[in-house]
Amino acid sequence: MDMGQAPQGWVPVEHRLLGLDRRTFAAGFGALAVALLLIYGLQALNAAIPWHNEIRAGQVLDLGGGATAVPPVGWQLERGTLTGGAGAAATSLQVLLASGGATIELEGTSYDGSAAAFLEQVQRSEGDSGSVSGSRGSLTTDAGLVGVVESSTGPSGDAIDVAFKMAVGTTETVNSAPALLVRVRTAAGQFERYQDEVAAMLRSITPGAAR
């Protein structure tokens, strides 16, 4: 070794602090700041941003063509349109509400036939889900819409399907109206917790003024 040269890695005493090379502090602190931002900063930012899609009292869902429903207060509107917004189409409706582990999905489509036939077609298209179906019944909304309701339960949870034709009047008028499928899903044994809110929303569904 050349006695006139400093050994590799040797740090002059004027650049040392507690045995460390002060010239590397800037880069080190910069890396530490970035790491802390990624770990804690994004979480804090996410917590600071309020959720703007929580249903408030008085808000009404737009089901297209003048049809409406009153969603449960406090649920999150993850997909869909409220009245006064951009407007919804009854035959391509997609609405999703969520609260805890429960969801309510509303899907609108064209279908010529009764609500019972529509529900049967949906079930045939989905095949055997492995769930145990309960009895089928009917449900009449406050506006006079008559729906067909069927419950089921299985390993994936509790389910309620309700099919409507979005009109009242003669058989011809009802059969030619758009169809609405309401699907409620909860964890197994949890439907009772939400049934009052679900029932109130189902009763609130109204058809459009002109069909």
Side-chain angles (χ1 to χ4, degrees), residues 16-176:
R16 296 179 198 166
L17 178 63
L18 301 176
L20 301 175
D21 187 348
R22 293 189 299 178
R23 294 171 296 182
T24 64
F25 284 5
F29 285 133
L32 178 61
V34 171
L36 292 176
L37 175 63
L38 292 175
I39 295 172
Y40 300 108
L42 295 181
Q43 295 179 11
L45 180 63
N46 187 50
I49 296 175
W51 185 267
H52 292 294
N53 289 333
E54 181 175 309
I55 296 296
R56 301 188 301 275
Q59 291 185 317
V60 177
L61 286 174
D62 184 351
L63 303 185
T68 61
V70 179
V73 173
W75 286 53
Q76 303 292 339
L77 178 61
E78 298 191 355
R79 186 169 62 243
T81 303
L82 297 171
T83 55
T91 55
S92 58
L93 186 73
Q94 293 285 330
V95 176
L96 178 61
L97 297 157
S99 177
T103 61
I104 303 174
E105 190 169 8
L106 298 94
E107 301 176 359
T109 187
S110 299
Y111 181 81
D112 291 331
S114 67
F118 173 57
L119 183 57
E120 289 168 1
Q121 176 175 290
V122 171
Q123 292 174 334
R124 282 197 305 272
S125 68
E126 295 179 341
D128 184 5
S129 65
S131 299
V132 178
S133 297
S135 59
R136 179 175 293 192
S138 63
L139 182 154
T140 303
T141 73
D142 294 342
L145 287 173
V146 179
V148 178
V149 56
E150 185 168 308
S151 63
S152 62
T153 185
S156 60
D158 296 339
I160 301 289
D161 287 343
V162 189
F164 291 99
K165 293 304 298 291
M166 297 300 285
V168 296
T170 65
T171 300
E172 291 75 14
T173 299
V174 172
N175 285 351
S176 62

Side-chain angles (χ1 to χ4, degrees), residues 184-205:
V184 183
R185 300 290 184 269
T186 73
Q190 293 298 305
F191 178 74
E192 186 176 356
R193 174 183 171 188
Y194 302 98
Q195 65 178 358
D196 290 343
E197 293 175 312
V198 171
M201 198 202 79
L202 291 171
R203 289 196 305 270
S204 75
I205 295 175

